[in-house]
Amino acid sequence: MQNLLDLDADALIAWFAERGEKPFRARQILRWIHRFGETDFDAMTDVAKSLRALLKETACIQPPVPIRDNLSTDGTRKWLMDVGNGNAVETVFIPEATRGTLCVSSQAGCALDCAFCSTGKQGFNRNLSAAEIIGQLWLANRLLGAEPNGERIISNVVMMGMGEPLANFDNVVSALKLMLDDHAYGLSRRRVTVSTSGIVPAMDRLREECPVALAVSLHAPNDALRDKLVPINQKYPLKDLLAACNRYLDKAPRDFITFEYIMLEGVNDGDEHIRQLIDIAREVPCKYNLIPFNPFPDSGFHRSSGPVVRRFSQLLNEAGIVTTTRKTRGDDVDAACGQLAGQVKDKTRRTQKRVVPIQEVR
Ligand code: SAH
Ligand code: SF4
């Protein structure tokens, strides 16, 4: 059985061509699946009966299965998706006044082992399939009650959940293409963001194959410190990373890179780091997004204090560099950056948590 969620438009057209069907049929099916959220071939009434019969025999539409659905007091919603063998990944929806952002996972676990990251501490289990990646958006739309022709509830997608998206390149790009496809989700390239810890060759490939907005997890402004915090830096040091950022900007939908910078008390929040960040901003057109560290058990790090973060931000802004500080959302359901653990274990003892029963998924 071919899971049709695994196929982007080109792959679906090729799959249909092998069965003697025209490209427009593939686009029709794409719309049924992604725009209308349909899983029942019989309901696809404008598709010829014979084709429906063939699809029923050889294909299916199988999104991931949500096993938990948590709603934070601030409206952030987090789903745990079963990906088999006792593994699960997390997807987070963050509503704001002017947009709704879905934070999507790309791997079960992560092999890159950044020092401050709870996902990295779990180790790596496997890459998610394209169906499991786009399936998070498919399912979130359904669970949020999106109407095919209604107002868009999810306006932005960020690949900032569990895993390193560029280490699962092909499946992530298939999913990205569906996010952008007018017959599927039709999101603008500027509203789809890949976040990477800096896998330089894959950044170059992304620029060629599917340029979307790019966020780079910088977290340290010099190699000595970055080698420790983001170990992939030992392979692709800052000089190479910054050069790759500039190459990326040639084709990017935005004219700056967002550098994510986690604020770790006494580690990367000193005056010398501000100076080094200003130097980096002279090399690469960028914005800084400061992320207060979200603690997890035995991390060994502490969040920089509010005044330190504010001063850091102020000095960067005064140097003419747009700098924002990420608001921590969904704290009470462990949905904040870097807290996505995805294990299937009962955390419901925590106070404040409101567990919403999983709605019927059709
Ligand atoms: N692997 C990719 C994307 C997933 S992580 C990457 O590293 O960019 C998404 C963001 O959350 C990254 O910027 C990551 O560094 C950050 N992050 C990881 N652990 C965190 C923590 N404990 N507190 C705050 N942010 C964290
Ligand atoms: Fe992996 Fe990103 Fe976590 Fe690093 S921060 S371990 S790259 S998920």
Side-chain angles (χ1 to χ4, degrees):
M1 279 284 190
Q2 171 68 53
N3 185 358
L4 297 184
L5 282 178
D6 260 321
L7 306 179
D8 61 24
D10 286 346
L12 195 65
I13 288 170
W15 194 84
F16 270 58
E18 282 165 21
R19 286 152 186 82
E21 295 286 345
K22 298 231 160 55
F24 88 92
R25 288 286 177 209
R27 292 194 198 99
Q28 231 175 352
I29 298 290
L30 210 59
R31 277 199 298 276
W32 275 112
I33 298 174
H34 296 285
R35 207 182 283 170
F36 298 102
E38 190 53 73
T39 53
D40 177 4
F41 294 117
D42 278 330
M44 303 182 182
T45 42
D46 56 358
V47 176
K49 268 217 172 113
S50 56
L51 176 55
R52 276 191 256 160
L54 173 82
L55 288 170
K56 275 204 291 196
E57 266 170 39
T58 56
C60 59
I61 299 160
Q62 211 166 61
V65 178
I67 47 180
R68 190 158 296 169
D69 183 339
N70 290 327
L71 181 64
S72 161
T73 47
D74 68 12
T76 301
R77 197 158 160 191
K78 181 176 87 165
W79 297 279
L80 192 63
M81 311 278 190
D82 183 23
V83 292
N85 295 329
N87 291 292
V89 297
E90 292 177 326
T91 308
V92 180
F93 175 67
I94 307 144
E96 287 172 284
T98 55
R99 61 183 171 194
T101 303
L102 193 71
C103 179
V104 170
S105 293
S106 56
Q107 300 181 308
C110 182
L112 298 188
D113 202 21
C114 298
F116 46 78
C117 175
S118 159
T119 304
K121 296 294 154 219
Q122 321 276 318
F124 174 67
N125 184 262
R126 69 168 171 87
N127 282 332
L128 299 189
S129 65
E132 288 167 330
I133 300 169
I134 201 65
Q136 296 170 60
L137 177 54
W138 188 97
L139 199 63
N141 267 321
R142 303 284 84 67
L143 296 174
L144 292 166
E147 296 287 338
N149 297 314
E151 208 178 315
R152 207 172 248 158
I153 298 177
I154 297 169
S155 60
N156 295 55
V157 174
V158 294
M159 298 295 307
M160 292 185 187
M162 297 169 69
E164 166 53 50
L166 296 187
N168 181 14
F169 191 87
D170 291 340
N171 294 343
V172 164
V173 165
S174 291
L176 292 175
K177 286 184 172 164
L178 284 168
M179 292 173 200
L180 304 176
D181 198 298
D182 281 338
H183 298 285
Y185 300 91
L187 295 176
S188 112
R189 285 179 192 280
R190 302 159 59 87
R191 290 175 172 271
V192 175
T193 301
V194 165
S195 174
T196 180
S197 54
I199 304 185
V200 164
M203 289 165 64
D204 286 327
R205 268 188 81 191
L206 188 69
R207 176 193 64 172
E208 294 307 321
E209 293 182 31
C210 194
V212 291
L214 189 67
V216 172
S217 289
L218 191 67
H219 304 321
N222 62 67
D223 280 323
L225 184 57
R226 198 163 189 272
D227 279 350
K228 289 193 202 131
L229 294 180
V230 186
I232 192 75
N233 194 70
Q234 296 161 24
K235 196 162 179 193
Y236 305 113
L238 278 173
K239 182 169 157 290
D240 298 351
L241 177 61
L242 301 182
C245 288
N246 276 324
R247 288 195 297 277
Y248 194 86
L249 284 173
D250 283 349
K251 295 218 178 138
R254 292 184 179 270
D255 54 9
F256 59 89
I257 300 283
T258 301
F259 284 131
E260 297 160 280
Y261 196 89
I262 191 167
M263 297 292 295
L264 302 167
E265 186 177 68
V267 174
N268 65 354
D269 63 354
D271 283 356
E272 71 275 26
H273 303 119
I274 299 180
R275 282 192 295 276
Q276 291 165 353
L277 287 174
I278 293 173
D279 287 343
I280 287 177
R282 291 210 179 97
E283 274 183 61
V284 179
C286 66
K287 288 184 182 176
Y288 286 117
N289 190 210
L290 307 179
I291 313 176
F293 170 63
N294 290 311
F296 55 90
D298 303 324
S299 74
F301 292 105
H302 299 281
R303 180 186 284 192
S304 306
S305 71
V308 167
V309 176
R310 279 195 290 280
R311 182 167 174 275
F312 211 84
S313 165
Q314 189 187 340
L315 289 175
L316 288 171
N317 274 309
E318 279 170 10
I321 308 157
V322 176
T323 303
T324 51
T325 302
R326 191 173 294 173
K327 260 191 282 165
T328 289
R329 299 280 307 257
D331 256 347
D332 54 340
V333 293
D334 287 347
C337 305
Q339 286 186 325
L340 303 186
Q343 289 165 317
V344 191
K345 67 178 187 189
D346 189 6
K347 294 183 192 168
T348 49
R349 278 162 292 130
R350 300 259 170 96
T351 50
Q352 274 194 323
K353 189 176 287 188
R354 195 146 74 79
V355 179
V356 178
I358 292 167
Q359 297 167 8
E360 269 288 75
V361 185
R362 60 164 307 223

mmCIF file of all heavy atoms in Angstrom, residues 101-145:
data_model
loop_
_atom_site.group_PDB
_atom_site.id
_atom_site.type_symbol
_atom_site.label_atom_id
_atom_site.label_comp_id
_atom_site.label_asym_id
_atom_site.label_seq_id
_atom_site.Cartn_x
_atom_site.Cartn_y
_atom_site.Cartn_z
ATOM 1 N N THR A 101 1.145 29.512 14.411
ATOM 2 C CA THR A 101 2.382 28.836 14.006
ATOM 3 C C THR A 101 2.364 27.386 14.462
ATOM 4 O O THR A 101 2.054 27.095 15.616
ATOM 5 C CB THR A 101 3.601 29.551 14.631
ATOM 6 O OG1 THR A 101 3.585 30.915 14.244
ATOM 7 C CG2 THR A 101 4.911 28.914 14.160
ATOM 8 N N LEU A 102 2.719 26.493 13.541
ATOM 9 C CA LEU A 102 2.849 25.089 13.905
ATOM 10 C C LEU A 102 4.332 24.725 13.924
ATOM 11 O O LEU A 102 5.058 24.964 12.963
ATOM 12 C CB LEU A 102 2.123 24.192 12.896
ATOM 13 C CG LEU A 102 1.947 22.747 13.389
ATOM 14 C CD1 LEU A 102 0.923 22.681 14.524
ATOM 15 C CD2 LEU A 102 1.538 21.822 12.252
ATOM 16 N N CYS A 103 4.757 24.163 15.048
ATOM 17 C CA CYS A 103 6.149 23.746 15.215
ATOM 18 C C CYS A 103 6.202 22.224 14.985
ATOM 19 O O CYS A 103 5.565 21.466 15.703
ATOM 20 C CB CYS A 103 6.604 24.127 16.619
ATOM 21 S SG CYS A 103 8.284 23.642 16.981
ATOM 22 N N VAL A 104 6.932 21.832 13.954
ATOM 23 C CA VAL A 104 6.866 20.461 13.431
ATOM 24 C C VAL A 104 8.181 19.718 13.708
ATOM 25 O O VAL A 104 9.262 20.291 13.605
ATOM 26 C CB VAL A 104 6.579 20.532 11.901
ATOM 27 C CG1 VAL A 104 6.741 19.191 11.230
ATOM 28 C CG2 VAL A 104 5.175 21.094 11.659
ATOM 29 N N SER A 105 8.070 18.444 14.047
ATOM 30 C CA SER A 105 9.252 17.604 14.281
ATOM 31 C C SER A 105 9.692 16.923 12.989
ATOM 32 O O SER A 105 8.874 16.647 12.109
ATOM 33 C CB SER A 105 8.951 16.532 15.328
ATOM 34 O OG SER A 105 8.741 17.127 16.591
ATOM 35 N N SER A 106 10.997 16.625 12.905
ATOM 36 C CA SER A 106 11.530 15.977 11.697
ATOM 37 C C SER A 106 12.182 14.628 11.972
ATOM 38 O O SER A 106 12.397 13.842 11.057
ATOM 39 C CB SER A 106 12.553 16.897 11.018
ATOM 40 O OG SER A 106 13.586 17.246 11.924
ATOM 41 N N GLN A 107 12.531 14.370 13.227
ATOM 42 C CA GLN A 107 13.157 13.095 13.580
ATOM 43 C C GLN A 107 12.651 12.656 14.955
ATOM 44 O O GLN A 107 12.279 13.501 15.778
ATOM 45 C CB GLN A 107 14.686 13.243 13.678
ATOM 46 C CG GLN A 107 15.361 13.699 12.397
ATOM 47 C CD GLN A 107 16.876 13.797 12.568
ATOM 48 O OE1 GLN A 107 17.363 14.444 13.492
ATOM 49 N NE2 GLN A 107 17.617 13.156 11.668
ATOM 50 N N ALA A 108 12.675 11.342 15.188
ATOM 51 C CA ALA A 108 12.444 10.857 16.553
ATOM 52 C C ALA A 108 13.804 10.886 17.242
ATOM 53 O O ALA A 108 14.685 10.106 16.911
ATOM 54 C CB ALA A 108 11.863 9.448 16.507
ATOM 55 N N GLY A 109 13.974 11.856 18.131
ATOM 56 C CA GLY A 109 15.283 12.087 18.749
ATOM 57 C C GLY A 109 16.161 12.924 17.833
ATOM 58 O O GLY A 109 15.690 13.481 16.837
ATOM 59 N N CYS A 110 17.426 13.044 18.188
ATOM 60 C CA CYS A 110 18.371 13.787 17.349
ATOM 61 C C CYS A 110 19.771 13.310 17.690
ATOM 62 O O CYS A 110 20.097 13.104 18.850
ATOM 63 C CB CYS A 110 18.258 15.292 17.608
ATOM 64 S SG CYS A 110 19.371 16.277 16.568
ATOM 65 N N ALA A 111 20.582 13.147 16.648
ATOM 66 C CA ALA A 111 21.924 12.591 16.863
ATOM 67 C C ALA A 111 22.955 13.667 17.202
ATOM 68 O O ALA A 111 24.090 13.347 17.544
ATOM 69 C CB ALA A 111 22.361 11.838 15.615
ATOM 70 N N LEU A 112 22.566 14.945 17.121
ATOM 71 C CA LEU A 112 23.608 15.978 17.173
ATOM 72 C C LEU A 112 24.013 16.389 18.589
ATOM 73 O O LEU A 112 25.036 17.020 18.785
ATOM 74 C CB LEU A 112 23.189 17.195 16.350
ATOM 75 C CG LEU A 112 22.995 16.864 14.867
ATOM 76 C CD1 LEU A 112 22.763 18.125 14.054
ATOM 77 C CD2 LEU A 112 24.192 16.121 14.288
ATOM 78 N N ASP A 113 23.211 16.028 19.554
ATOM 79 C CA ASP A 113 23.619 16.112 20.954
ATOM 80 C C ASP A 113 24.097 17.490 21.419
ATOM 81 O O ASP A 113 25.142 17.607 22.063
ATOM 82 C CB ASP A 113 24.730 15.060 21.204
ATOM 83 C CG ASP A 113 24.833 14.713 22.686
ATOM 84 O OD1 ASP A 113 23.856 14.950 23.416
ATOM 85 O OD2 ASP A 113 25.906 14.243 23.110
ATOM 86 N N CYS A 114 23.350 18.517 21.097
ATOM 87 C CA CYS A 114 23.686 19.842 21.624
ATOM 88 C C CYS A 114 23.552 19.803 23.146
ATOM 89 O O CYS A 114 22.653 19.149 23.685
ATOM 90 C CB CYS A 114 22.774 20.909 21.032
ATOM 91 S SG CYS A 114 22.950 21.021 19.240
ATOM 92 N N ALA A 115 24.443 20.531 23.807
ATOM 93 C CA ALA A 115 24.595 20.370 25.251
ATOM 94 C C ALA A 115 23.344 20.743 26.050
ATOM 95 O O ALA A 115 23.108 20.210 27.123
ATOM 96 C CB ALA A 115 25.772 21.218 25.723
ATOM 97 N N PHE A 116 22.540 21.664 25.500
ATOM 98 C CA PHE A 116 21.434 22.264 26.255
ATOM 99 C C PHE A 116 20.077 21.736 25.813
ATOM 100 O O PHE A 116 19.040 22.313 26.141
ATOM 101 C CB PHE A 116 21.453 23.781 25.999
ATOM 102 C CG PHE A 116 21.630 24.053 24.543
ATOM 103 C CD1 PHE A 116 20.558 23.933 23.674
ATOM 104 C CD2 PHE A 116 22.888 24.355 24.017
ATOM 105 C CE1 PHE A 116 20.717 24.100 22.313
ATOM 106 C CE2 PHE A 116 23.047 24.526 22.645
ATOM 107 C CZ PHE A 116 21.970 24.402 21.803
ATOM 108 N N CYS A 117 20.048 20.665 24.998
ATOM 109 C CA CYS A 117 18.790 20.287 24.331
ATOM 110 C C CYS A 117 18.270 18.949 24.838
ATOM 111 O O CYS A 117 18.966 17.937 24.798
ATOM 112 C CB CYS A 117 19.000 20.229 22.820
ATOM 113 S SG CYS A 117 17.548 19.629 21.928
ATOM 114 N N SER A 118 17.030 18.972 25.275
ATOM 115 C CA SER A 118 16.418 17.777 25.835
ATOM 116 C C SER A 118 16.227 16.696 24.769
ATOM 117 O O SER A 118 16.418 15.509 25.032
ATOM 118 C CB SER A 118 15.095 18.198 26.473
ATOM 119 O OG SER A 118 14.242 17.135 26.612
ATOM 120 N N THR A 119 15.873 17.127 23.535
ATOM 121 C CA THR A 119 15.730 16.138 22.455
ATOM 122 C C THR A 119 17.062 15.435 22.214
ATOM 123 O O THR A 119 17.129 14.212 22.094
ATOM 124 C CB THR A 119 15.281 16.812 21.133
ATOM 125 O OG1 THR A 119 14.068 17.521 21.363
ATOM 126 C CG2 THR A 119 15.068 15.796 20.038
ATOM 127 N N GLY A 120 18.136 16.225 22.146
ATOM 128 C CA GLY A 120 19.458 15.651 21.910
ATOM 129 C C GLY A 120 19.830 14.646 22.993
ATOM 130 O O GLY A 120 20.444 13.615 22.718
ATOM 131 N N LYS A 121 19.403 14.933 24.206
ATOM 132 C CA LYS A 121 19.731 14.038 25.323
ATOM 133 C C LYS A 121 19.014 12.681 25.229
ATOM 134 O O LYS A 121 19.420 11.719 25.855
ATOM 135 C CB LYS A 121 19.398 14.698 26.677
ATOM 136 C CG LYS A 121 20.216 15.942 26.973
ATOM 137 C CD LYS A 121 21.694 15.598 27.150
ATOM 138 C CE LYS A 121 22.585 16.786 26.812
ATOM 139 N NZ LYS A 121 23.810 16.446 26.095
ATOM 140 N N GLN A 122 17.925 12.644 24.432
ATOM 141 C CA GLN A 122 17.232 11.357 24.270
ATOM 142 C C GLN A 122 17.985 10.414 23.343
ATOM 143 O O GLN A 122 17.639 9.253 23.228
ATOM 144 C CB GLN A 122 15.862 11.526 23.580
ATOM 145 C CG GLN A 122 15.050 12.715 23.950
ATOM 146 C CD GLN A 122 14.276 12.458 25.188
ATOM 147 O OE1 GLN A 122 13.724 11.384 25.348
ATOM 148 N NE2 GLN A 122 14.257 13.427 26.063
ATOM 149 N N GLY A 123 18.924 10.948 22.582
ATOM 150 C CA GLY A 123 19.562 10.139 21.553
ATOM 151 C C GLY A 123 18.705 10.133 20.288
ATOM 152 O O GLY A 123 17.679 10.807 20.215
ATOM 153 N N PHE A 124 19.163 9.375 19.300
ATOM 154 C CA PHE A 124 18.490 9.376 18.000
ATOM 155 C C PHE A 124 17.799 8.049 17.794
ATOM 156 O O PHE A 124 18.372 6.999 18.036
ATOM 157 C CB PHE A 124 19.528 9.594 16.900
ATOM 158 C CG PHE A 124 18.973 9.482 15.512
ATOM 159 C CD1 PHE A 124 18.059 10.421 15.038
ATOM 160 C CD2 PHE A 124 19.356 8.450 14.678
ATOM 161 C CE1 PHE A 124 17.537 10.329 13.753
ATOM 162 C CE2 PHE A 124 18.845 8.355 13.380
ATOM 163 C CZ PHE A 124 17.938 9.293 12.929
ATOM 164 N N ASN A 125 16.542 8.102 17.351
ATOM 165 C CA ASN A 125 15.887 6.854 17.018
ATOM 166 C C ASN A 125 15.793 6.650 15.512
ATOM 167 O O ASN A 125 16.378 5.726 14.969
ATOM 168 C CB ASN A 125 14.513 6.780 17.685
ATOM 169 C CG ASN A 125 13.900 5.427 17.403
ATOM 170 O OD1 ASN A 125 13.093 5.289 16.501
ATOM 171 N ND2 ASN A 125 14.331 4.398 18.131
ATOM 172 N N ARG A 126 15.087 7.538 14.821
ATOM 173 C CA ARG A 126 15.037 7.404 13.349
ATOM 174 C C ARG A 126 14.511 8.688 12.711
ATOM 175 O O ARG A 126 13.940 9.555 13.378
ATOM 176 C CB ARG A 126 14.169 6.223 12.939
ATOM 177 C CG ARG A 126 12.696 6.397 13.199
ATOM 178 C CD ARG A 126 11.912 5.300 12.477
ATOM 179 N NE ARG A 126 10.513 5.299 12.852
ATOM 180 C CZ ARG A 126 9.578 6.040 12.266
ATOM 181 N NH1 ARG A 126 9.876 6.904 11.318
ATOM 182 N NH2 ARG A 126 8.315 5.948 12.662
ATOM 183 N N ASN A 127 14.717 8.748 11.384
ATOM 184 C CA ASN A 127 14.126 9.837 10.609
ATOM 185 C C ASN A 127 12.626 9.625 10.490
ATOM 186 O O ASN A 127 12.172 8.490 10.353
ATOM 187 C CB ASN A 127 14.699 9.827 9.184
ATOM 188 C CG ASN A 127 16.085 10.437 9.127
ATOM 189 O OD1 ASN A 127 16.418 11.294 9.951
ATOM 190 N ND2 ASN A 127 16.873 10.012 8.168
ATOM 191 N N LEU A 128 11.871 10.715 10.490
ATOM 192 C CA LEU A 128 10.450 10.599 10.181
ATOM 193 C C LEU A 128 10.274 10.519 8.662
ATOM 194 O O LEU A 128 11.061 11.091 7.902
ATOM 195 C CB LEU A 128 9.673 11.811 10.715
ATOM 196 C CG LEU A 128 9.710 12.034 12.237
ATOM 197 C CD1 LEU A 128 8.721 13.121 12.623
ATOM 198 C CD2 LEU A 128 9.417 10.748 12.999
ATOM 199 N N SER A 129 9.253 9.808 8.225
ATOM 200 C CA SER A 129 8.932 9.761 6.792
ATOM 201 C C SER A 129 8.299 11.099 6.399
ATOM 202 O O SER A 129 7.864 11.878 7.264
ATOM 203 C CB SER A 129 7.943 8.628 6.537
ATOM 204 O OG SER A 129 6.718 8.925 7.186
ATOM 205 N N ALA A 130 8.230 11.343 5.080
ATOM 206 C CA ALA A 130 7.560 12.560 4.613
ATOM 207 C C ALA A 130 6.111 12.577 5.116
ATOM 208 O O ALA A 130 5.577 13.616 5.515
ATOM 209 C CB ALA A 130 7.606 12.636 3.091
ATOM 210 N N ALA A 131 5.481 11.398 5.116
ATOM 211 C CA ALA A 131 4.084 11.315 5.583
ATOM 212 C C ALA A 131 3.978 11.708 7.054
ATOM 213 O O ALA A 131 3.021 12.368 7.464
ATOM 214 C CB ALA A 131 3.543 9.904 5.384
ATOM 215 N N GLU A 132 4.951 11.300 7.842
ATOM 216 C CA GLU A 132 4.894 11.642 9.267
ATOM 217 C C GLU A 132 5.159 13.127 9.492
ATOM 218 O O GLU A 132 4.699 13.703 10.479
ATOM 219 C CB GLU A 132 5.912 10.798 10.051
ATOM 220 C CG GLU A 132 5.496 9.332 10.167
ATOM 221 C CD GLU A 132 6.615 8.438 10.658
ATOM 222 O OE1 GLU A 132 7.798 8.738 10.400
ATOM 223 O OE2 GLU A 132 6.311 7.409 11.277
ATOM 224 N N ILE A 133 5.921 13.745 8.588
ATOM 225 C CA ILE A 133 6.212 15.181 8.748
ATOM 226 C C ILE A 133 5.009 16.008 8.277
ATOM 227 O O ILE A 133 4.446 16.788 9.043
ATOM 228 C CB ILE A 133 7.495 15.562 7.986
ATOM 229 C CG1 ILE A 133 8.676 14.756 8.534
ATOM 230 C CG2 ILE A 133 7.768 17.058 8.134
ATOM 231 C CD1 ILE A 133 9.938 14.851 7.686
ATOM 232 N N ILE A 134 4.582 15.801 7.025
ATOM 233 C CA ILE A 134 3.439 16.581 6.537
ATOM 234 C C ILE A 134 2.176 16.168 7.295
ATOM 235 O O ILE A 134 1.257 16.970 7.493
ATOM 236 C CB ILE A 134 3.260 16.438 5.008
ATOM 237 C CG1 ILE A 134 2.433 17.607 4.458
ATOM 238 C CG2 ILE A 134 2.611 15.115 4.609
ATOM 239 C CD1 ILE A 134 3.073 18.952 4.569
ATOM 240 N N GLY A 135 2.159 14.931 7.764
ATOM 241 C CA GLY A 135 1.014 14.434 8.525
ATOM 242 C C GLY A 135 0.775 15.238 9.795
ATOM 243 O O GLY A 135 -0.356 15.319 10.278
ATOM 244 N N GLN A 136 1.827 15.841 10.342
ATOM 245 C CA GLN A 136 1.636 16.676 11.539
ATOM 246 C C GLN A 136 0.805 17.910 11.196
ATOM 247 O O GLN A 136 -0.066 18.329 11.955
ATOM 248 C CB GLN A 136 2.990 17.087 12.131
ATOM 249 C CG GLN A 136 3.810 15.913 12.637
ATOM 250 C CD GLN A 136 5.234 16.315 12.992
ATOM 251 O OE1 GLN A 136 5.449 17.158 13.857
ATOM 252 N NE2 GLN A 136 6.210 15.726 12.319
ATOM 253 N N LEU A 137 1.067 18.488 10.010
ATOM 254 C CA LEU A 137 0.292 19.654 9.569
ATOM 255 C C LEU A 137 -1.131 19.223 9.186
ATOM 256 O O LEU A 137 -2.113 19.889 9.535
ATOM 257 C CB LEU A 137 1.020 20.303 8.378
ATOM 258 C CG LEU A 137 0.361 21.501 7.703
ATOM 259 C CD1 LEU A 137 0.021 22.601 8.687
ATOM 260 C CD2 LEU A 137 1.278 22.057 6.605
ATOM 261 N N TRP A 138 -1.201 18.109 8.472
ATOM 262 C CA TRP A 138 -2.511 17.567 8.075
ATOM 263 C C TRP A 138 -3.395 17.380 9.301
ATOM 264 O O TRP A 138 -4.528 17.851 9.365
ATOM 265 C CB TRP A 138 -2.288 16.225 7.342
ATOM 266 C CG TRP A 138 -3.515 15.631 6.714
ATOM 267 C CD1 TRP A 138 -3.894 15.748 5.417
ATOM 268 C CD2 TRP A 138 -4.512 14.817 7.355
ATOM 269 N NE1 TRP A 138 -5.076 15.070 5.204
ATOM 270 C CE2 TRP A 138 -5.478 14.490 6.382
ATOM 271 C CE3 TRP A 138 -4.688 14.347 8.655
ATOM 272 C CZ2 TRP A 138 -6.599 13.705 6.658
ATOM 273 C CZ3 TRP A 138 -5.812 13.568 8.943
ATOM 274 C CH2 TRP A 138 -6.747 13.254 7.940
ATOM 275 N N LEU A 139 -2.815 16.710 10.317
ATOM 276 C CA LEU A 139 -3.585 16.371 11.495
ATOM 277 C C LEU A 139 -3.915 17.610 12.340
ATOM 278 O O LEU A 139 -5.036 17.756 12.826
ATOM 279 C CB LEU A 139 -2.766 15.385 12.338
ATOM 280 C CG LEU A 139 -3.515 14.566 13.345
ATOM 281 C CD1 LEU A 139 -4.524 13.668 12.650
ATOM 282 C CD2 LEU A 139 -2.531 13.702 14.136
ATOM 283 N N ALA A 140 -2.946 18.514 12.472
ATOM 284 C CA ALA A 140 -3.199 19.717 13.271
ATOM 285 C C ALA A 140 -4.355 20.510 12.665
ATOM 286 O O ALA A 140 -5.232 20.995 13.383
ATOM 287 C CB ALA A 140 -1.930 20.570 13.356
ATOM 288 N N ASN A 141 -4.376 20.629 11.341
ATOM 289 C CA ASN A 141 -5.496 21.320 10.697
ATOM 290 C C ASN A 141 -6.825 20.681 11.070
ATOM 291 O O ASN A 141 -7.795 21.366 11.390
ATOM 292 C CB ASN A 141 -5.325 21.294 9.173
ATOM 293 C CG ASN A 141 -4.616 22.525 8.659
ATOM 294 O OD1 ASN A 141 -4.843 23.629 9.141
ATOM 295 N ND2 ASN A 141 -3.739 22.346 7.684
ATOM 296 N N ARG A 142 -6.849 19.355 11.020
ATOM 297 C CA ARG A 142 -8.093 18.654 11.363
ATOM 298 C C ARG A 142 -8.465 18.902 12.822
ATOM 299 O O ARG A 142 -9.587 19.243 13.159
ATOM 300 C CB ARG A 142 -7.963 17.139 11.182
ATOM 301 C CG ARG A 142 -7.551 16.632 9.814
ATOM 302 C CD ARG A 142 -8.644 16.669 8.789
ATOM 303 N NE ARG A 142 -8.783 17.963 8.147
ATOM 304 C CZ ARG A 142 -7.882 18.521 7.329
ATOM 305 N NH1 ARG A 142 -6.764 17.904 7.044
ATOM 306 N NH2 ARG A 142 -8.099 19.698 6.795
ATOM 307 N N LEU A 143 -7.474 18.728 13.715
ATOM 308 C CA LEU A 143 -7.782 18.807 15.143
ATOM 309 C C LEU A 143 -8.111 20.232 15.583
ATOM 310 O O LEU A 143 -8.779 20.452 16.582
ATOM 311 C CB LEU A 143 -6.614 18.249 15.967
ATOM 312 C CG LEU A 143 -6.329 16.751 15.752
ATOM 313 C CD1 LEU A 143 -5.080 16.326 16.494
ATOM 314 C CD2 LEU A 143 -7.517 15.912 16.204
ATOM 315 N N LEU A 144 -7.628 21.208 14.801
ATOM 316 C CA LEU A 144 -7.944 22.602 15.119
ATOM 317 C C LEU A 144 -9.243 23.030 14.444
ATOM 318 O O LEU A 144 -9.681 24.170 14.580
ATOM 319 C CB LEU A 144 -6.804 23.528 14.683
ATOM 320 C CG LEU A 144 -5.491 23.382 15.474
ATOM 321 C CD1 LEU A 144 -4.346 24.077 14.743
ATOM 322 C CD2 LEU A 144 -5.640 23.951 16.886
ATOM 323 N N GLY A 145 -9.807 22.119 13.664
ATOM 324 C CA GLY A 145 -11.100 22.415 13.043
ATOM 325 C C GLY A 145 -11.019 23.314 11.832
ATOM 326 O O GLY A 145 -11.955 24.066 11.550
#
